[in-house]
Amino acid sequence: MSTPIDDAAALFRAHVQKMLHYQEALALMYWDLRTGAPKRGVELRAEAIGTLSAELFKLETSRELEQYLNQLSEPSTYNQLDPITQKSVLEVKKQYDRNHKIPAERYQEFVVLTSQAESVWEDAKNSSNFELFKPYLEKIVAINQEFVDYWGYKEHKYDTLLDKYEPGMTVQQVDKIFSGLREETVKLVEAIVRSGQKPNVKPFLRAFDVAKQRQLSLALLERMGYDFSAGRLDETVHPFETTINRYDVRVTTKFLPDEMRSAIFSTIHEGGHALYEQGISPDLIGTPLADGASMGIHESQSRFWENMIGRSREFWEYNYKTVLDLFPMQFADVSVEDFYRGVNVVEPSLIRIEADEVTYNLHIMIRYEIEKGLIDGSLSVSDLPEIWRSKMQEYLGVAPENDADGVLQDVHWAGGDFGYFPTYALGNIYAAQFLNALKKDIPDYKEQVRRGNLRVIKNWLNQSIHRYGKTLMPAEIVRQVTGENIDSKYLIGYFREKFKPLYHLL
Ligand code: ZN
């Protein structure tokens, strides 16, 4: 016989399922738009997406859901729920509260503002005209500050924005983690620049048949342990991974006809995201917990594969022969050591998305410091172009000549996303901590990679991280896997160990 609590929990679960089904339809529609939907269909598709999104939002904010949450959060009821339902209730309640604290009409204004701002940003970027974008960014910052007041915060206003993407993370922690990393990275980059060494990248800039590049991408995904019976690889402009459902996790990549590193590392990066999603415990299907723990933990998985495995010497000692089979002419005179050096160039540059693994975090820190200042009011939007240039000069030793290559380069702020950027660097920091833990559990992991046995790595990640999905907080996962809190010293150590010999530094 079912009890009233069983009934309430069943209704709650059915409601959440329905939300997930709308999300699945939307994810598939977005995937389709970005992987070759016919141009003429785009406008009507956008309308259909608008309708489904509005229906989803109704479900997320409905009175029924409020009732289920109130009923199930009641301590005497809550304590009788199974652990997965308990965590699902907490997760859905958190989203529900966030949605509900913002007056509906203000949220609607925000949606309209950011969609206008995205198209203005595009024009501003194309003409390198910050003044054009400035009034929009000012409004976006103001509305974000207002939202923060609705949501509330304990110490720093920016904490509540960070928490959206990296639950539990605070300004106090990020300031501390970033400052040590910044100092050491700046020193290392200066030493690399001073060394005057430049790996030869010419072999990568030849003509590469796209069909063969695709073959290489498929082979690498296969070796990583990506399940093609629950996924597929397609081509796009800006590569991404998307989860349609737990058994349909798709990877996209980009094939350039005259550069071959781009496809390789996009594929490995998105493949790392996909392994995470494919590794989530099937017990969590149909709940909001069948998801990554946070943006930072997700990024740790893609970066781990892309940089720590995919840009390692051992990885290429095994996989280079596939490259040579496919492109014998292009690499006829290139040793595996030269190839390894060519995929590990470190060079200060202006554009974040093209940055190497060492300088990348410095780009993130600049955005973080600016966001924090805008939200707490210590910086004003009109100061940004100048602050951008001076921070680039200070951290990277290069500065943009125009705002298109500076403050206007990323779309995130036009979309109203504040608090997202730091998760990219947190991902790198987590990844290095996980690598350190992997070394303890599998001391010969490098030998395994050299023999092409990447499944050992994948299985370790499945067991240690993936299967938990969103049932653990990011800090809990880090502690459980490493026995420590988040700490950038492992990333600093990894950089030194890898790049000092690569650049023949003392
Ligand atoms: Zn990523």
Side-chain angles (χ1 to χ4, degrees), residues 113-115 117-118 121 133 137 140 410-417:
L113 173 66
T114 51
S115 73
E118 282 181 25
W121 166 79
F133 182 51
L137 187 54
I140 289 172
D410 290 306
V411 68
H412 301 57
W413 292 340
D417 294 331

Side-chain angles (χ1 to χ4, degrees), residues 91-253:
E91 180 61 27
V92 174
K93 190 165 172 17
K94 192 172 172 186
Q95 295 307 324
Y96 181 87
D97 287 343
R98 257 195 194 271
N99 288 334
H100 253 254
K101 285 181 178 168
I102 307 289
E105 63 285 357
R106 287 303 277 159
Y107 185 71
Q108 198 48 41
E109 280 169 44
F110 177 70
V111 171
V112 173
L113 173 66
T114 51
S115 73
Q116 286 167 345
E118 282 181 25
S119 84
V120 172
W121 166 79
E122 224 175 295
D123 293 342
K125 190 185 172 197
N126 290 336
S127 56
S128 193
N129 182 355
F130 182 71
E131 288 302 309
L132 198 62
F133 182 51
K134 200 179 96 174
Y136 288 86
L137 187 54
E138 280 168 344
K139 280 188 210 152
I140 289 172
V141 169
I143 209 163
N144 258 290
Q145 288 169 328
E146 190 189 321
F147 286 2
V148 167
D149 288 333
Y150 285 122
W151 287 322
Y153 60 95
K154 276 192 200 131
E155 270 182 33
H156 197 287
K157 288 190 170 201
Y158 190 72
D159 287 346
T160 188
L161 296 172
L162 268 176
D163 185 74
K164 240 167 101 177
Y165 305 103
E166 201 61 18
M169 189 54 68
T170 62
V171 163
Q172 202 192 13
Q173 292 183 75
V174 177
D175 280 350
K176 191 167 154 257
I177 302 160
F178 280 7
S179 76
L181 180 61
R182 182 178 61 241
E183 234 172 80
E184 293 302 320
T185 307
V186 168
K187 269 195 256 171
L188 180 62
V189 172
E190 277 171 2
I192 287 172
V193 171
R194 258 201 323 270
S195 78
Q197 306 227 9
K198 287 204 191 294
N200 180 17
V201 298
K202 276 194 203 125
F204 298 98
L205 305 174
R206 293 169 180 166
F208 296 98
D209 179 61
V210 165
K212 286 185 178 170
Q213 289 196 58
R214 188 177 155 79
Q215 243 176 291
L216 178 59
S217 277
L218 291 171
L220 294 175
L221 283 174
E222 168 83 40
R223 285 170 200 170
M224 287 166 69
Y226 175 73
D227 178 1
F228 278 96
S229 69
R232 50 183 285 157
L233 175 71
D234 292 272
E235 215 180 323
T236 189
V237 181
H238 298 290
F240 63 98
E241 172 273 328
T242 184
T243 299
I244 310 298
N245 67 44
R246 168 64 175 72
Y247 297 115
D248 184 352
V249 177
R250 303 184 184 196
V251 175
T252 65
T253 193

Side-chain angles (χ1 to χ4, degrees), residues 1 10 37-38 77 116 135 145 153 192 234 237 341 357 371 379-380 395 411 418 424 454-455 457 483 491 500:
M1 231 183 75
T77 310
Q116 286 167 345
Q145 288 169 328
Y153 60 95
I192 287 172
D234 292 272
V237 181
R341 289 169 58 83
E357 65 172 315
E371 288 192 353
L379 281 182
S380 83
Y395 298 172
V411 68
F418 284 80
Y424 292 125
L454 299 178
R455 302 293 171 111
I457 312 279
L491 183 60
K500 284 196 162 183

